[in-house]
Amino acid sequence: MLSRCLRPGRSAPRLAARRVPLTSRPAAARGSAGSAAARPWVVSPEGADLEARTAASVREHGFAVLPGLLSQAELERLRGPLLERTERTIGLLRARGVELEVGSRAGFHEVVLRSPGRYDVPCDFEDVPQEVLQVLERLTARALSPEGAADAGRQGEREGPPPRAFAGIVRADPGSPAQLWHADSPHLREEHAPANLINVLVALDDVAPADGPTEILPGSQVLTNHLRRDAGFDGDTIVYQNPQNSPALIGSSEEPFAAAMPAGSVLLFDDRILHRGGGNAGERPRDIAFFSYRRADFQPATHYEAVRSLEAYDHAALAESVRPEFPGLAGGPGGAGGGGGAAAPRPPVLADGASGSQLHESAIAAMTEQLRFGTANMGGSYATSERALATVKGARGAVADLLNCEADEAVFGASMTALAFHLARALRGSGRLGPGDNVVLDPISHGANVFPWKHLAEACGAEVRWLPVAEGPAGICECILDTRREALAAVVDGRTRLVAAGAASNGVGSVHDVRALCAAAGELSEGKALRFVDAVHYAPHGRVDVQALGCDFLACSPYKFFGPHSGVLFGRRELLAELPAERLDCQDNGLPREESCHMSRWEVGTQSYESLAGVVAAVDYIAGLGARFGGADAAAPRPARLEAAWRAMAAHEQDLKVRFLEGAASVRGLRMLGVRDPQRAGLRTATFAVAKDGLSAQGLAQSLCERGVWCTAGNHYAGFWSAHSGGLTDDDTGMCRLGFLHYNTLAEVDRVLQTLDEL
């Protein structure tokens, strides 16, 4: 996975334009490359049949370079609007306090971070001089025409320019590293076909070798075809930047060409060609304009996938705006601290989010309305029964959108703990485990993700193994699982039948790379291990996507993400249908569908319809944040609004984490478990296990509560303290825990730090 991006908005003074030659390789590797004119893909703009010569080069080599195609006047007309838009957009990123993650899905409609320090700022074709575009479109129309069409150029003139796809600027900041090799679009069939999309890059300034010119692998537009029989890679691997991508992967021995070129030069390439942006070792941003054109029957799908607008995004306003919508934040019936004591005249700081979130007012209203409307069971032809059915269907749909699963893959229960034991009993009766097999568990996890599986192993005669814990900087344990394949190979093997891990530790807030864990567990167990993820603690802090994680089961609790006490289990459809779930003999034995009133064979007894109504409202509340603060369109599908919401919430919590970690470093006598470096705050949630010299865990929590900081102390149902706290505490004692959620403010973090320092 690529690292997080450089801070947006870094810039350097523009230097005077330099005239540079075309080169065949980056300066460090160039040697005697020969003259640019000797390169067959360099097409002189002078002479007849420019369009035909350019198209021939694109078909044969995958690209063409046209030195100095645009005049100085044309170039200046092009630079003005594009650079103005870029500066404004990068400035808005800085003003909004946004640190972009790499990837088109993680960006905004206005800007995408393609790789660290490399910004893609799109624009409308109508924003640039049309006379300049006409020059480029005559070239592109011929390059996109069917190979061998004798009258392709004249036909393009009659039918007009090719369909426009994308336009904008790619800015590479000084110090930005080279991209990973990739193609922009996948092939569509096994046999090679003409280009579907042509990218046109225009050098707005001279691009010297040190500035990080685009590197192209000649002829690779054929070899990137993942559908050919001898391909050793898939479409996602080659399209999305992947460390394993290389010329060797696709079977090429060609020398990459680095397109260093003078201002006004143009590079056209088939977007299926293997390429990358070079690292910018210069002293100024490298700005390249791009214009992409497609065949009329081709719709690109991997270039811009963002679901939010930077103009409408504002995570800094989130917490203060939503606080009035949470009645529980007032601090109990008294409204100003309730039982907080005489020392807490102000509303308390609810710093116990890890124990459970406050209910949003919409969840409270939905539950109340469900009860007021009248109670009934499903299956009747009357209003209250039909409402119960609609509530169940709505809850399954909401959870499906929340977790990115199918509606019939959602199971409801009293709690995550109850559902975990329910699943463990089903696995015991399935015959999947026996003597000689093993289960691999998470030593940092909540007991609900440990004891059901330990009891399962004991009942089946299977061995219990433990996932490795990584060693942090300077040998300090940060309570993060070691998910490197070589580390996991010591405990996961062909006899492993279950791997169960938490997405994050409820005790210390450490976040584990469960995506890598699930992938490695599947490989090392030869596909025999079921992969269970406990996402209870992680769910209120970040997006949960079961498809991306690659897990077989995942559990979470709505009362952690602003809804009522309830439990949710995701299971892959084939497993939920196959495993022997405990149920009544007279109960339907299928998964939810119309014929069964959307009841699941995994749900025993009548569901709490009022709780399910609250679950729907909680999910809708989160989705609403995506439109209110995350930049999503209010009319966008719920999954898109949820995605935007989680990004805004994560950005706000990142601010909370950094503020707490920076402040905690100067609090006298304060000790902490987990990640402590503010620069690595992304490896934890806003949950902190703390201790103070001279105070017991319970004494510290009691002192904080008396001063208006509500929190708890104990082992928090986890048993890792003795082994992984460095002697700071033990399993019986645990530590004082502080937990912040999206409705906590920076001012509250400051108040907590001040109170800790005063104790």
Side-chain angles (χ1 to χ4, degrees):
M1 182 180 294
L2 289 168
S3 61
R4 292 184 63 84
C5 66
L6 303 173
R7 284 190 176 272
R10 282 185 56 183
S11 61
R14 289 192 174 275
L15 305 181
R18 299 159 289 168
R19 304 304 293 179
V20 298
L22 290 164
T23 60
S24 63
R25 282 176 285 179
R30 189 164 64 245
S32 56
S35 68
R39 296 292 168 179
W41 44 76
V42 177
V43 179
S44 172
E46 305 298 329
D49 298 324
L50 177 60
E51 291 86 355
R53 288 185 286 124
T54 301
S57 181
V58 171
R59 283 196 293 268
E60 180 177 357
H61 307 294
F63 70 107
V65 181
L66 290 78
L69 177 68
L70 299 184
S71 69
Q72 185 64 32
E74 289 172 324
L75 186 60
E76 287 305 317
R77 289 199 298 275
L78 185 64
R79 282 169 51 93
L82 290 178
L83 291 179
E84 180 182 352
R85 183 183 185 91
T86 299
E87 296 295 347
R88 185 175 68 83
T89 300
I90 299 299
L92 186 58
L93 270 180
R94 182 167 54 246
R96 293 280 195 264
V98 177
E99 288 197 36
L100 277 178
E101 296 180 11
V102 170
S104 62
R105 189 77 186 183
F108 294 92
H109 299 314
E110 299 90 341
V111 60
V112 171
L113 192 67
R114 294 299 183 188
S115 61
R118 194 177 303 268
Y119 299 91
D120 181 333
V121 182
C123 71
D124 294 329
F125 280 86
E126 290 72 21
D127 294 338
V128 296
Q130 298 303 296
E131 65 272 18
V132 176
L133 292 182
Q134 289 172 7
V135 175
L136 306 178
E137 288 169 355
R138 283 195 296 269
L139 297 170
T140 311
R142 188 66 175 268
L144 283 171
S145 297
E147 186 175 358
D151 66 342
R154 291 189 298 275
Q155 181 178 343
E157 291 179 3
R158 288 196 305 268
E159 297 180 357
R164 295 168 169 179
F166 317 111
I169 275 186
V170 173
R171 165 170 289 184
D173 276 348
S176 57
Q179 289 183 298
L180 299 174
W181 288 104
H182 64 284
D184 286 340
S185 290
H187 286 254
L188 302 180
R189 55 180 183 264
E190 182 178 348
E191 65 277 9
H192 183 67
N196 295 310
L197 188 142
I198 296 291
N199 289 323
V200 182
L201 305 187
V202 180
L204 298 180
D205 294 303
D206 290 347
V207 180
D211 297 329
T214 300
E215 297 179 49
I216 298 279
L217 189 66
S220 61
Q221 78 280 7
V222 177
L223 297 176
T224 56
N225 191 342
H226 66 288
L227 300 174
R228 57 190 171 95
R229 295 180 182 180
D230 59 343
F233 50 88
D234 59 29
D236 284 346
T237 297
I238 206 68
V239 169
Y240 293 99
Q241 295 182 55
N242 191 303
Q244 74 185 76
N245 288 347
S246 68
L249 177 69
I250 64 172
S252 175
S253 58
E254 289 285 337
E255 185 76 25
F257 175 82
M261 51 192 182
S265 300
V266 171
L267 167 65
L268 290 86
F269 63 91
D270 182 332
D271 86 324
R272 300 169 301 179
I273 203 166
L274 198 68
H275 65 282
R276 66 179 180 179
N280 186 356
E283 298 177 348
R284 60 174 186 166
R286 188 218 68 180
D287 292 325
I288 297 286
F290 65 89
F291 304 94
S292 300
Y293 298 89
R294 62 179 178 85
R295 295 173 64 90
D297 58 352
F298 177 72
Q299 292 294 335
T302 58
H303 295 69
Y304 293 97
E305 304 167 286
V307 298
R308 54 187 184 152
S309 166
L310 180 60
E311 296 283 353
Y313 176 89
D314 189 6
H315 78 263
L318 194 159
E320 291 288 2
S321 298
V322 303
R323 286 181 65 81
E325 302 166 21
F326 288 87
L329 293 180
R346 295 178 290 174
V349 176
L350 271 68
D352 199 23
S355 293
S357 65
Q358 299 303 306
L359 266 73
H360 187 256
E361 61 185 7
S362 65
I364 298 172
M367 296 175 71
T368 302
E369 181 65 18
Q370 183 71 34
L371 292 171
R372 282 180 174 164
F373 193 83
T375 59
N377 218 323
M378 298 183 294
S381 299
Y382 51 95
T384 50
S385 179
E386 291 168 351
R387 183 187 179 97
L389 176 60
T391 298
V392 172
K393 290 176 63 176
R396 295 199 197 282
V399 168
D401 288 347
L402 182 72
L403 304 181
N404 192 21
C405 66
E406 297 299 326
D408 63 357
E409 293 178 317
V411 178
F412 296 105
S415 65
M416 174 271 177
T417 305
L419 288 169
F421 274 111
H422 189 25
L423 178 58
R425 290 191 297 271
L427 291 175
R428 179 180 178 181
S430 69
R432 286 175 172 262
L433 279 80
D437 295 330
N438 64 78
V439 299
V440 184
L441 308 181
D442 175 0
I444 310 297
S445 226
H446 187 286
N449 193 32
V450 173
F451 291 104
W453 320 127
K454 285 185 68 175
H455 294 324
L456 168 64
E458 292 168 1
C460 297
E463 177 188 2
V464 175
R465 298 178 180 178
W466 298 95
L467 290 166
V469 178
E471 185 175 290
I476 298 173
C477 178
E478 295 180 323
C479 299
I480 297 178
L481 295 177
D482 189 341
T483 57
R484 295 173 301 143
R485 193 180 191 280
E486 56 268 30
L488 295 172
V491 293
V492 180
D493 56 30
R495 297 301 299 271
T496 302
R497 297 296 180 263
L498 174 70
V499 176
S505 165
N506 74 301
V508 300
S510 299
V511 174
H512 310 307
D513 188 352
V514 287
R515 182 175 184 173
L517 174 62
C518 287
E523 295 172 5
L524 293 169
S525 70
E526 301 171 356
K528 298 173 184 175
L530 296 175
R531 295 152 297 184
F532 181 95
V533 174
D534 172 5
V536 172
H537 181 69
Y538 183 81
H541 300 287
R543 186 180 180 217
V544 177
D545 183 340
V546 296
Q547 307 305 326
L549 293 179
C551 57
D552 299 297
F553 296 97
L554 180 141
C556 57
S557 298
Y559 81 97
K560 301 283 184 163
F561 53 84
F562 326 113
H565 281 274
S566 183
V568 171
L569 173 70
F570 154 78
R572 285 197 291 116
R573 179 185 288 123
E574 58 270 30
L575 292 171
L576 292 179
E578 168 195 329
L579 291 173
E582 290 182 344
R583 62 185 183 85
L584 302 177
D585 290 344
C586 54
Q587 181 179 346
D588 183 86
N589 195 30
L591 297 182
R593 59 196 191 284
E594 289 292 340
E595 295 80 3
S596 66
C597 294
H598 289 270
M599 296 174 63
S600 172
R601 63 194 293 266
W602 287 83
E603 294 165 354
V604 181
T606 301
Q607 291 296 298
S608 170
Y609 301 131
E610 60 272 22
S611 291
L612 297 185
V615 170
V616 175
V619 173
D620 283 339
Y621 160 70
I622 298 171
L625 297 180
R628 296 167 64 188
F629 307 100
D633 190 317
R638 185 163 55 189
R641 289 180 286 123
L642 284 167
E643 182 178 349
W646 288 123
R647 294 192 186 281
M649 294 162 74
H652 172 63
E653 288 195 21
Q654 179 73 3
D655 292 342
L656 299 180
K657 291 183 288 185
V658 169
R659 179 71 68 92
F660 184 85
L661 292 172
E662 289 177 344
S666 60
V667 173
R668 298 165 299 163
L670 186 68
R671 302 175 187 272
M672 188 188 315
L673 283 185
V675 174
R676 308 172 199 178
D677 181 2
Q679 298 300 316
R680 300 173 65 240
L683 296 176
R684 68 172 309 137
T685 66
T687 297
F688 307 92
V690 298
K692 190 75 185 288
D693 290 349
L695 289 172
S696 67
Q698 292 292 343
L700 175 57
Q702 180 65 31
S703 296
L704 287 169
C705 288
E706 290 172 352
R707 290 162 176 78
V709 176
W710 289 10
C711 59
T712 57
N715 63 20
H716 310 291
Y717 297 97
F720 63 87
W721 307 96
S722 295
H724 298 289
S725 69
L728 193 58
T729 186
D730 56 50
D731 290 345
D732 292 329
T733 306
M735 295 180 71
C736 178
R737 183 179 65 183
L738 300 166
F740 303 108
L741 294 171
H742 77 288
Y743 47 58
N744 288 112
T745 65
L746 290 170
E748 288 185 312
V749 172
D750 292 340
R751 180 177 165 189
V752 171
L753 289 167
Q754 180 181 353
T755 305
L756 284 168
D757 194 49
E758 292 171 350
L759 293 176

